[in-house]
Amino acid sequence: MKETVAEDAIAILPAHIEETVQAIARVQAQHENEATALERLMEQLTAAIGRPAFLVWLALAVAAWTLGNTLGARFGYGPIDPPPFSWLQGAITLAALSVTVIVLTSQRRADKLAGLRAQLTLELAVLGEQKTAKVIELMEQSRRDNPLLDNRRDAEADEMAKPADPETVLEAIAAAPVSAPDEAET
């Protein structure tokens, strides 16, 4: 049922939008296909760690460790890790380090995909800007060629008809002074 709805939605999309959607899907699929087995494992671990159940299981494990070592003596067993539970502290430290590395590894991979999406968005924005400039140019040309309309110069339209040069825009952004958040408020 779900696939039919998705297929129907794609069928009513204009061809250029469908191509864009498919291009984005290809980028996502390529990103997934390029993942190593270790990267997939890190993502699965990140997903497991990110669930509320992980915190519950962690709390239960710490409580069981603490109670087992504290109450074990009452039942004739010697504690493996007597208070202040130095082995437990070491295990928690190791777990914290492991979780940090797992999350950072997954985040790095997610950032790579976000970078690809940002690049695609930028390329589409530049293409859209170029198309808009061409439409304005054609409209101005049509207006000048139409004998029923006054033949006047529109400086703003002439300027908008020129597509932006991405290199010039990047240079302008790089040359712009960057102020710290505190400086902007004062």
Side-chain angles (χ1 to χ4, degrees):
M1 176 69 183
K2 230 180 201 183
E3 291 177 17
T4 307
V5 173
E7 289 172 1
D8 290 345
I10 290 174
I12 62 172
L13 290 175
H16 68 283
I17 294 176
E18 184 178 339
E19 289 172 10
T20 303
V21 169
Q22 289 176 357
I24 292 169
R26 282 191 303 272
V27 166
Q28 177 79 32
Q30 180 181 2
H31 181 73
E32 292 303 319
N33 290 337
E34 291 175 354
T36 65
L38 190 56
E39 287 173 330
R40 286 189 185 102
L41 175 64
M42 293 295 119
E43 287 178 3
Q44 290 171 348
L45 289 172
T46 301
I49 291 167
R51 291 193 174 98
F54 178 78
L55 182 59
V56 172
W57 283 109
L58 185 62
L60 289 173
V62 170
W65 184 273
T66 306
L67 286 173
N69 280 290
T70 310
L71 299 177
R74 290 188 181 189
F75 297 107
Y77 298 104
I80 297 172
D81 185 20
F85 309 111
S86 59
W87 285 13
L88 178 62
Q89 291 174 16
I92 289 174
T93 301
L94 181 60
L97 177 63
S98 298
V99 167
T100 302
V101 170
I102 289 168
V103 170
L104 287 174
T105 302
S106 295
Q107 185 62 46
R108 189 178 126 255
R109 189 164 139 62
D111 286 347
K112 185 178 178 182
L113 180 59
L116 290 172
R117 286 181 180 155
Q119 183 179 0
L120 179 61
T121 300
L122 179 60
E123 289 174 9
L124 290 172
V126 168
L127 180 61
E129 191 276 335
Q130 290 171 342
K131 288 179 178 183
T132 302
K134 184 64 177 176
V135 168
I136 292 170
E137 177 187 354
L138 291 172
M139 287 178 65
E140 280 299 298
Q141 184 180 8
S142 176
R143 186 185 54 78
R144 284 191 295 272
D145 292 346
N146 189 337
L148 300 175
L149 298 175
D150 291 338
N151 191 7
R152 60 178 173 75
R153 298 293 295 174
D154 186 341
E156 186 178 13
D158 288 343
E159 195 62 33
M160 291 174 75
K162 297 176 189 171
D165 176 30
E167 292 295 323
T168 305
V169 173
L170 285 174
E171 289 172 8
I173 291 170
V178 178
S179 61
D182 293 340
E183 293 175 11
E185 293 175 3
T186 56

